[in-house]
């Protein structure tokens, strides 16, 4: 059993370091990779060396120096990251617990080492103690539950960690108390701080009693400090009573302070307390007794106030300043990985199972589709309907024309300011320009891929005509049934062309919207004088008395509609923010680890995450979906109220014969409609930009697949063409020289090839990036180097192609300077795509 004991003579405590032997963590990781992954450990030689270096630096932190913080945090951060890579057979959680324990110890020792004789030193000490408590809290709540140990070490069990957390919070609070005393705070404030210190020491002592690791000396220490600060709190409260002339209460609190300090001194029995703590208690005892003697005498002889019993004293208020602050490097280690980040690049990034990458992409796609199509789109449809009805009712133009017969209405001025600040016209033009560029880029990539397919189809048709369908027996280009073959690719052509047709039509609609309001937007974006010239003033400048009540009711109903729209807009913004912040990566790693522990013999596939996806989406967004029905009903009710109020308004307006506002009303409504149309167009542009960005990934992938398939088909065609071009064996003379179709000659001999060509199946692996390479590593701030597709060897000779003979002599080429076949003069430059002919 490892007991925690006092380290140095002091009135506060620090945590000792746990010791570790120098072992090679990389050896265990190498074995795990060999057993669990279809990758050779040598691929991760650099990462293995780095993790051993990080561990060596971390376990050699033995002194209270700030440089040790980064060493421990960096190693701990890498262990957290690696926990998602090696969830089985590598108990990295226990290693992490030890490292974090030493980090908490280092923070506590740095607090002890700070100069607490001045306010700056006290601030430093309080911060370090809070961070020590934060690290221990993180261990207790996040790491310990995942530690796969039936009986964790006694100094890292729940009771011990809880006691240490409360101890360091108490010592942090004590620093705040000491600073308040040093800065001359009022007695009432100091009493609140001291009372909280006492509470925290009491909590530390209660948890220590349940621990098997904490020594008796520490338990007596926390008990003595609990009574000390209970006495200090009552003493300061008594001083406050003296200032407020509550002499009877002053005596009662001093008596309680004396009783508390005497309880603290009882902890001295057995020699458990060090001299600093005893001196603090005795110093307080002397001061309390002197003040109590003076207070009792003054009250008995002069003030004659009743001394309340302890049970009637008001419980002191608490002022808590100490908070367990988890360092961000511990709480969110993923934020500190990167080439130029604190922890450097995350290690073993390529060991994340491919299924997890795919699962993340699937979830993000489903989440975006759910949020955008099922929630936001519905809310936007409601808002569009609302604006249509408002426009049909000529609102707010009809109201503004009466309420503001001269000049510009306030809401119109606000809308115009927003248009100007957003530089609306330029913003829309830039948006349209971006969409045009994205569309052109996507179209160019798509056309390139389509041209490849068309060229291959033409080549295949020409060869089919040359050799005849009887001999050219392979599948036609559009009927090739192979995986990612022609049939699938040509179907994708039609599908992607449909995307472009749909988007082009949508783009045209958006541009028509813009064209319809461009001139009006220019008025809003211009100076107020232009709008005032555009809007005629009313001939009637006063509202008829009969109209005022109906105008009030209509204005009230219209304002309710505006408030509902404002709430909806904020709701959409909040939903989008939640969606952006919905990062599934860490949670899916935890789910992967759980699945691997539960089903160790079953490979992880994306289907395993279906229930996880469904529960998460329901938990995060089901309430928003359920609220749509109520939102729609509320809108219908408000619109019904608005329409009734507007009918009454229009009828009343006709009854008073008010026709002088029509032109002004029409102009105001046109400007208001243009503003809302602008908001709609901005949303359309953002949707268009996102569509083309998403489409770019689709067409890039399509082009890569087309290139790979076309290259394979061309290699296949050359091989088949060479085979069909071979003359029958009966037409060859036995004495005719023949070239032996060997793949390559031995080193040193003259040959067209100095090294063996790769077999076809190997070339395909090299030329095509693995599926993992098409999904970015989602380690935060860790760009993963992806293999680049190699350009295929056009016309490279392979054994399966055979050797082509021609009836007429043709000059043989020797691209690499080998022996030339025959003495026939060269007629033309050798074309690699034509194969090698011998005459």
């Amino acid at each position: 059993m490892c007991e925690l004991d006092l380290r140095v003579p002091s009135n506060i405590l620090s945590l000792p370091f746990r010791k570790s032997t120098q072992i090679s963590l990389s050896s265990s990781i190498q074995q795990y990779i060999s057993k669990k992954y279809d990758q050779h450990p040598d691929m991760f030689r650099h990462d293995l060396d780095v993790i051993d270096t990080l561990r060596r630096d971390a376990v050699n932190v033995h002194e209270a120096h700030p440089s040790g913080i980064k060493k421990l945090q960096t190693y701990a951060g890498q262990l957290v990251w690696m926990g998602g890579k090696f969830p089985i057979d590598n108990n990295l959680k226990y290693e992490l617990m030890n490292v974090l324990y030493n980090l908490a110890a280092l923070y506590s020792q740095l607090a002890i080492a700070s100069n607490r004789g001045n306010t700056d030193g006290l601030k430093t000490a309080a911060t370090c103690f809070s961070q020590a408590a934060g690290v221990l809290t993180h261990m207790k709540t996040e790491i310990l539950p995942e530690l796969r140990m039936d009986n964790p070490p006694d100094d890292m069990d729940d009771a011990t960690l809880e006691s240490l957390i409360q101890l360091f919070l108490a010592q942090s609070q004590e620093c705040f108390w000491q600073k308040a005393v040093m800065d001359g705070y009022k007695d009432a404030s100091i009493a609140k701080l001291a009372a909280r210190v006492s509470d925290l020491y009491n909590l530390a002592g209660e948890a220590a009693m349940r621990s098997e690791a904490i020594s008796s000396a520490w338990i007596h220490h926390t008990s003595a400090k609990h009574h000390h600060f209970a006495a200090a709190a009552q003493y300061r409260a008594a001083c406050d009573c003296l200032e407020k002339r509550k002499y009877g209460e002053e005596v009662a609190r001093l008596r309680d302070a004396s009783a508390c300090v005497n309880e603290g001194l009882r902890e001295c029995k057995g020699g458990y307390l060090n001299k600093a703590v005893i001196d603090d208690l005795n110093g307080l005892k002397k001061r309390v007794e002197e003040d109590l003697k003076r207070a009792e005498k003054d009250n008995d002889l002069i003030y004659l106030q009743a001394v309340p019993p302890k049970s009637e004293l008001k419980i002191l208020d608490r002022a808590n300043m100490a908070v367990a602050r988890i360092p961000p490097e511990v709480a969110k280690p993923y934020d500190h990985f990167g080439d130029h980040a604190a922890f450097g690049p995350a290690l073993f990034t390529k060991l994340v199972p491919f299924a997890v990458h795919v699962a993340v992409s699937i979830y993000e796609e489903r989440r975006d589709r759910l949020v955008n199509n099922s929630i936001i789109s519905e809310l936007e449809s409601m808002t569009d309907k609302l604006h249509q009805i408002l426009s049909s009712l000529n609102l707010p133009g009809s109201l503004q024309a009466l309420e503001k017969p001269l000049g510009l209405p306030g809401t119109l001025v606000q809308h115009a300011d927003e248009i100007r600040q957003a530089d609306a016209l330029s913003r829309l033009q830039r948006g349209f320009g971006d969409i045009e560029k994205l569309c052109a880029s996507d179209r160019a990539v798509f056309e390139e891929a389509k041209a490849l397919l068309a060229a291959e189809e033409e080549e295949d048709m020409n060869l089919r005509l040359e050799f005849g369908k009887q001999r050219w027996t392979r599948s036609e280009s559009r009927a090739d049934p192979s995986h990612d073959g022609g049939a699938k690719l040509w179907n994708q052509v039609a599908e992607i062309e449909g995307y472009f047709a749909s988007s082009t039509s949508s783009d045209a609609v958006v541009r028509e919207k813009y064209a319809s309001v461009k001139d009006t937007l220019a008025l809003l974006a211009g100076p107020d004088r232009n709008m005032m010239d555009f809007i005629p003033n009313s001939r009637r400048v006063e509202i008829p008395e009969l109209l005022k009540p109906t105008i009030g009711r209509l204005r009230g109903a219209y304002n309710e509609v505006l408030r509902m729209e404002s709430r909806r807009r904020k709701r959409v913004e909040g939903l989008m923010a939640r969606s952006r912040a919905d990062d599934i990566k860490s949670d899916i790693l935890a789910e992967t680890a759980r699945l691997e522990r539960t089903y160790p013999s079953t490979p992880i596939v994306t289907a395993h995450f279906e229930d996880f996806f469904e529960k998460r989406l329901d938990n995060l967004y089901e309430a928003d979906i359920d609220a749509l029905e109520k939102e729609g009903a509320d809108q219908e009710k408000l619109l019904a109220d608005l329409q009734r109020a507007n009918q009454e308004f229009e009828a009343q307006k006709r009854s008073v014969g008010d026709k002088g506002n029509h032109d002004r009303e029409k102009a105001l409504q046109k400007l208001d409609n243009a503003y809302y149309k602008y908001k709609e167009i901005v949303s359309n542009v953002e949707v268009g930009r996102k569509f083309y960005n998403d489409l770019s990934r689709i067409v890039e992938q399509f082009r890569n697949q087309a290139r790979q398939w076309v290259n394979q088909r061309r290699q296949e065609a050359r091989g088949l063409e060479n085979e069909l071009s071979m003359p029958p064996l009966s037409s060859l003379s036995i004495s005719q020289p023949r070239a032996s179709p060997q793949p390559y000659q031995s080193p040193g001999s003259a040959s067209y090839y100095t090294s063996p060509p790769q077999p076809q199946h190997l070339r395909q692996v090299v030329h095509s990036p693995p599926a993992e390479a098409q999904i970015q590593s989602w380690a935060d701030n860790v760009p993963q180097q992806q293999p680049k597709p190699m350009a295929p060897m056009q016309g490279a000779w392979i054994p399966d192609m055979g050797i082509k003979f021609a009836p007429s002599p043709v000059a043989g080429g020797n691209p690499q300077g080998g022996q030339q076949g025959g003495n026939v003069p060269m007629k033309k430059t050798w074309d690699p795509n034509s194969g090698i002919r011998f005459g």
Side-chain angles (χ1 to χ4, degrees), residues 557-599:
Y558 178 70
N559 287 343
E560 284 297 321
V561 170
L562 292 184
R563 280 191 284 271
M564 181 188 67
E565 184 183 1
S566 176
R567 289 194 301 268
R568 182 178 297 163
R569 183 169 57 252
K570 291 177 182 178
R571 180 180 169 190
V572 168
E573 290 171 356
L575 181 61
M576 293 173 70
R578 275 197 291 130
S579 176
R580 287 192 298 268
D582 180 13
D583 189 350
I584 197 178
K585 295 166 187 174
S586 58
D587 290 342
I588 204 170
L589 267 182
E591 177 67 8
T592 302
R594 185 192 70 79
L595 290 171
E596 288 182 332
R597 287 193 298 268
T598 307
Y599 310 104

Side-chain angles (χ1 to χ4, degrees), residues 442-462:
D442 292 351
R443 174 73 73 175
V445 172
F446 173 64
E447 292 297 336
E448 179 186 345
K450 199 165 83 165
L452 283 171
L453 295 178
E456 189 283 327
E457 183 178 37
E458 184 179 359
E459 293 166 7
D460 182 73
M461 291 175 63
N462 291 336

Side-chain angles (χ1 to χ4, degrees), residues 456 460-461 464 472-482 486-487 709 713 716 720:
E456 189 283 327
D460 182 73
M461 291 175 63
R464 197 176 300 278
W472 196 260
T473 55
R474 72 169 183 168
S475 302
E476 294 184 5
S477 298
R478 296 181 185 242
D480 178 22
S482 62
W709 178 75
R713 287 276 287 188
E716 181 184 278
L720 184 57

